Amino acid sequence: MNDDFLTGDVHLAIYGPDRFSKATPFAENGYLFTVPGTFPEDTPAHTNVVNQEMAVYRTKDDPDEWEVRDVDGDRRVWSTAGSRREAIGLAFLEIARRRRIDAARVAEKRKAAGLEPIPPYRVEIIDSVTLVLAPTKTAVLERVQPAEGETSACYRVRDVGGGEPYEIRTDEAVWHTVTTGILHERCGHDPDDARRFENEPEALIYAKHGLTRFWVCTELPSAADELFTVDGSHYGPYPARPAPDTWNAYEPISVTREVAERIAHDLNTLNAGCGLSAEWNGADLVFTWDQRYRHDNGTEAVTPGTDGRYLIGGLWPWMRWADRD
């Protein structure tokens, strides 16, 4: 899990009284930071949103309290806390929770519409370069230098092999953009910035006409993840490999390291004091419980398999996210 917000590694930009009008709920002085649209990383790329600018500041009514609001949306309060760092961390946690729920709702709507959990065809652009073609030279465009006074407009370029930049007059050359990409079909790749399609003809039209050249991904198709939660809770949803029809709630689910980290974090923070906790010992996830949770004390270590995934289950009942009330 990307936990920069928990370690304080968030870029903050100071703002002053000229940033917001007095009619807004923001304090005159504070800090701005950005929540990436790709956060949290365990949500499918096709549910990503635009980057969200946030403000954190001391509240007007209580200078010892910090508040976080989004700047460009509803300006809702995402968190309040006694320190700036804690307020930012709680805001990230709440945003992650809501985005995961939104992603799960998108999955449910796709299922109801008879669509696959994620768009099965994805066209990823891996490289794009603009070439300047002159009668005796082919170069890579850096920028277009507009005309100034008696100086003609020109292309600022470099040789294909590198070297120092130089200029070619715009009336002596033309430019051409070369774009290459990969067509993914039901594979394990889900690039954040890919174009997504529900069927092959639409994907091929875009790949053939939108790209100069493309290749088809050779990775074998993989089964789409299911979403799970802890029965009777609001935790998750946690993506895991699909469970068989004979699966029951106390059998394990197969999750990635990233999802295992989320499960451990939610257990330790959202269910603290229940008598069950989790901690990492190298690559192993170790669960420890006392008599508050079970009739005796005990531990269980979950070791990743050869595929790097973790089988977690037996300590509480799972439930498919789609089956909750």
Side-chain angles (χ1 to χ4, degrees):
M1 179 172 58
N2 186 341
D3 59 355
D4 287 349
F5 60 93
L6 296 176
T7 62
D9 189 15
V10 174
H11 177 72
L12 297 175
I14 299 174
Y15 75 82
D18 57 341
R19 179 61 177 82
F20 300 106
S21 70
K22 293 184 178 180
T24 65
F26 304 101
E28 288 188 355
N29 298 281
Y31 302 84
L32 300 173
F33 65 95
T34 300
V35 179
T38 56
F39 175 83
E41 294 179 351
D42 53 24
T43 52
H46 69 280
T47 65
N48 289 347
V49 296
V50 297
N51 292 349
Q52 197 169 10
E53 188 176 33
M54 314 291 287
V56 57
Y57 48 84
R58 296 181 187 272
T59 61
K60 299 176 181 178
D61 297 330
D62 184 356
D64 294 327
E65 184 176 65
W66 290 81
E67 183 175 81
V68 174
R69 288 180 187 262
D70 57 276
V71 172
D72 300 318
D74 297 329
R75 296 180 174 176
R76 57 157 292 180
V77 176
W78 288 93
S79 68
T80 56
S83 70
R84 183 184 68 190
R85 181 178 185 275
E86 184 181 5
I88 292 173
L90 290 174
F92 268 90
L93 287 173
E94 176 61 13
I95 290 169
R97 186 184 73 85
R98 287 179 173 267
R99 288 184 180 179
R100 286 171 182 139
I101 291 174
D102 289 343
R105 287 172 176 164
V106 170
E108 290 174 351
K109 290 179 179 179
R110 292 183 63 84
K111 182 178 180 181
L115 300 173
E116 297 183 36
I118 64 174
Y121 297 92
R122 298 171 289 280
V123 179
E124 175 190 11
I125 295 176
I126 59 173
D127 190 31
S128 182
V129 62
T130 298
L131 300 177
V132 174
L133 310 176
T136 60
K137 179 73 68 173
T138 298
V140 177
L141 177 68
E142 285 194 342
R143 67 178 185 272
V144 177
Q145 189 74 33
E148 293 184 6
E150 298 181 357
T151 304
S152 302
C154 64
Y155 298 118
R156 189 73 170 172
V157 301
R158 290 181 187 268
D159 286 334
V160 175
E164 294 297 318
Y166 58 94
E167 297 176 353
I168 298 178
R169 287 175 46 178
T170 57
D171 59 356
E172 295 178 345
V174 296
W175 59 266
H176 175 68
T177 299
V178 178
T179 305
T180 56
I182 300 176
L183 172 61
H184 300 281
E185 177 186 355
R186 297 183 178 88
C187 62
H189 300 133
D190 193 16
D192 290 334
D193 56 353
R195 290 289 300 270
R196 291 166 174 79
F197 302 90
E198 303 295 344
N199 57 67
E200 185 178 40
E202 291 182 353
L204 286 174
I205 289 173
Y206 176 81
K208 290 178 179 179
H209 297 281
L211 307 179
T212 308
R213 188 177 182 185
F214 71 95
W215 295 264
V216 177
C217 179
T218 58
E219 182 173 303
L220 294 176
S222 60
D225 282 343
E226 280 190 287
L227 298 175
F228 291 84
T229 184
V230 177
D231 195 1
S233 81
H234 61 277
Y235 304 158
Y238 306 114
R241 281 185 176 161
D245 293 337
T246 56
W247 174 84
N248 70 70
Y250 281 93
E251 290 184 13
I253 61 173
S254 174
V255 300
T256 63
R257 167 72 185 239
E258 183 180 65
V259 176
E261 288 176 350
R262 274 188 53 208
I263 293 171
H265 177 269
D266 289 352
L267 172 64
N268 292 336
T269 57
L270 302 180
N271 210 15
C274 72
L276 176 66
S277 62
E279 64 178 355
W280 289 96
N281 181 17
D284 296 344
L285 179 57
V286 181
F287 293 96
T288 303
W289 62 87
D290 58 30
Q291 295 181 19
R292 290 174 297 171
Y293 192 76
R294 284 187 167 180
H295 62 278
D296 59 356
N297 300 335
T299 62
E300 178 180 315
V302 180
T303 300
T306 56
D307 58 357
R309 299 178 72 92
Y310 293 78
L311 292 172
I312 299 178
L315 295 173
W316 58 76
W318 291 111
M319 179 177 66
R320 287 182 171 92
W321 182 262
D323 294 339
R324 74 195 190 286
D325 295 331

